[in-house]
């Protein structure tokens, strides 16, 4: 079954052709990073307008790269939430139009299920159950994924998402947007010699706003004293305190629920320290850790095409022309 998938929830316009949830024939991503950089972050209205301008070319390129036409496609999938309302509207409207003119089924996909499915594209042998560590710009959670379409949230952030903190720390350090990859790069050149964290008693839940504030206060203190900022060391220390907490709680969840597979999902899965530290800690505990291929870590349509396949064969999320985007769609 070949699915044409569309993703436009934030600042990437993407279209992919994915077969049977596992084989990616094309995955075109048109990023708006250059457009939003001068504003220091994503401007929603600017994002929507650029999706409108890009989507036709992106879809045609995805079909051409896959060597197929719309006649070869069995269903159309689209991200309908969560995300920016204007951005989502562009993808959802386009997908509804395609479904209408081709008379092919329309599958509505939750963006976060897409991030989890990015691992099915990377590892042909991977099947649920597993413990998923979800680390994105809007979410941080530990999820017990029991089947392709069933899960239980066992831990959640009580305040900020981890990606949001990376972006904020980068902004205060003047590193710019998008912050995560910039902090990742600086951290590689620094030493984790500043302590920003203390043990918590939150169980499987997370709290990141305290860490973020500790980093910001540290920076402001040095600035007020007119001292140079050890940018690389601050990044390495912040990253360490976040990754330590994510690693420790994910391993604990695996042991407690007796599951020996970890799957990492969401944009922060691109973070090199997290990938290395979690993979090592898992191996020491007899657990296999799956991290998505770099091309599937941040927003892309291939992951939506994969999630859509498993929904379709289970009869879940089949939509019609009344489909509306849901900017605050939950897990
Ligand atoms: O999963 P995603 O696309 O966001 C949502 O769907 O909500 O991820 C975007 C987030 C941003 O906060 C970005 O800074 C972060 O992922 N990110 C990273 C890295 N690459 C992207 N964070 C840390 N290290 C990275 N290498
Ligand atoms: Zn995302």
């Amino acid at each position: 079954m070949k699915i044409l998938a569309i993703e436009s929830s934030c600042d990437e316009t993407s279209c992919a052709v994915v077969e049977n949830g596992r084989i990616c024939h094309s995955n075109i991503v048109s990023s708006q990073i250059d457009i939003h950089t001068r504003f220091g972050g994503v401007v929603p209205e600017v994002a929507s307008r650029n999706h409108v301008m890009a989507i036709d070319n992106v879809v045609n390129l995805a079909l051409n790269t896959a060597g197929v036409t719309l006649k070869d496609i069995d269903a159309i999938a689209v991200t309908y939430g969560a995300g920016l309302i204007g951005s989502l509207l562009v993808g959802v409207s386009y997908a509804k139009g395609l479904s209408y003119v081709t008379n092919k089924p329309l599958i509505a996909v939750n963006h976060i299920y897409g991030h989890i499915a990015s691992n099915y594209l990377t590892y042909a042998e991977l099947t649920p159950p597993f413990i998923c560590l979800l680390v994105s710009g809007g979410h941080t959670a530990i999820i017990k994924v029991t089947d392709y379409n069933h899960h239980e949230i066992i831990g959640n952030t009580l305040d900020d998402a981890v990606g949001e903190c990376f972006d904020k720390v980068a902004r205060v350090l003047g590193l710019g947007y998008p912050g995560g990859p910039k902090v990742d790069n600086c951290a590689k050149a620094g030493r984790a010699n500043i302590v920003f964290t203390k043990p918590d008693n939150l169980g499987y839940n997370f709290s990141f706003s305290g860490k973020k504030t500790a980093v910001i206060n540290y920076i402001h203190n040095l600035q007020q004293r007119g001292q140079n900022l050890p940018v690389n060391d601050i990044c390495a220390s912040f990253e360490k305190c976040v990754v330590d907490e994510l690693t420790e709680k994910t391993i604990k969840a695996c042991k407690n629920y007796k599951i020996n597979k970890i799957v990492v999902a969401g944009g922060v899965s691109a973070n090199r320290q997290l990938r290395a530290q979690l993979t090592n800690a898992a191996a020491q505990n007899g657990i296999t850790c799956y991290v998505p291929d770099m091309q599937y870590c941040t927003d892309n349509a291939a992951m939506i095409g994969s999630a859509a396949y498993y929904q379709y064969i289970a009869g879940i999320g089949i939509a019609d022309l009344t489909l509306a985007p849901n900017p605050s769609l939950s897990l």
Side-chain angles (χ1 to χ4, degrees), residues 308-321:
Y309 172 76
Y310 290 102
Q311 285 185 207
Y312 188 76
I313 57 176
I316 295 169
I318 317 296
D320 59 23
L321 297 185

Side-chain angles (χ1 to χ4, degrees), residues 112-113 116 130-134 140-146 150-155 253 259 263 331:
I112 294 303
Y113 296 170
I116 298 173
F130 50 75
I131 293 290
C132 172
L133 173 65
L134 169 64
T140 307
I142 297 178
I143 305 165
K144 186 177 154 198
V145 177
T146 46
H150 295 99
H151 66 266
E152 187 190 323
I153 298 176
I154 56 183
I259 294 179
V263 162
L331 263 169

Side-chain angles (χ1 to χ4, degrees), residues 113-272:
Y113 296 170
H115 273 302
I116 298 173
S118 62
N119 288 279
Y120 302 141
L121 294 167
T122 310
Y123 305 99
E125 77 287 4
L126 176 65
T127 51
F130 50 75
I131 293 290
C132 172
L133 173 65
L134 169 64
V135 277
S136 75
H139 292 81
T140 307
I142 297 178
I143 305 165
K144 186 177 154 198
V145 177
T146 46
D147 202 346
Y148 288 102
N149 295 295
H150 295 99
H151 66 266
E152 187 190 323
I153 298 176
I154 56 183
N156 220 329
T157 178
L158 303 178
D159 39 58
D160 298 346
V162 67
E164 206 179 334
C165 287
F166 269 93
D167 294 336
K168 182 73 201 229
V169 166
R171 193 170 322 144
V172 177
L173 285 170
L175 299 175
Y177 153 90
K182 303 221 158 132
V183 172
D184 187 339
N185 282 339
C186 291
K188 276 278 153 291
R191 285 174 306 140
N193 53 6
I194 310 158
V195 178
F196 288 126
T197 188
K198 54 181 185 314
D200 67 51
N201 55 0
L202 300 173
Y204 293 118
N205 290 328
F206 301 99
S207 169
F208 294 111
S209 77
K211 295 179 182 62
K212 180 186 72 182
T213 310
V215 176
I216 293 170
N217 287 344
Y218 183 86
I219 295 167
H220 286 166
N221 272 337
L222 288 187
Q223 283 170 334
Q224 274 157 13
R225 284 193 241 123
Q227 293 176 0
N228 284 337
L229 289 181
V231 173
N232 294 342
D233 292 349
I234 293 174
C235 288
S237 307
F238 162 72
E239 194 178 79
K240 181 179 186 312
C241 84
V242 168
V243 170
D244 280 353
E245 181 172 348
L246 294 170
T247 302
E248 185 199 310
K249 293 188 177 179
T250 309
I251 300 285
K252 202 163 102 191
C254 282
K255 286 184 178 166
N256 216 14
Y257 289 88
K258 302 196 173 15
I259 294 179
N260 65 359
K261 280 184 232 173
I262 295 171
V263 162
V264 190
V268 184
S269 64
N271 183 268
R272 285 170 289 176

Side-chain angles (χ1 to χ4, degrees), residues 7 9 111-112 115 136-137 266-267 297-299 303:
E7 153 66 41
S9 64
H111 181 77
I112 294 303
H115 273 302
S136 75
C297 285
T298 44
D299 292 349
M303 66 185 197

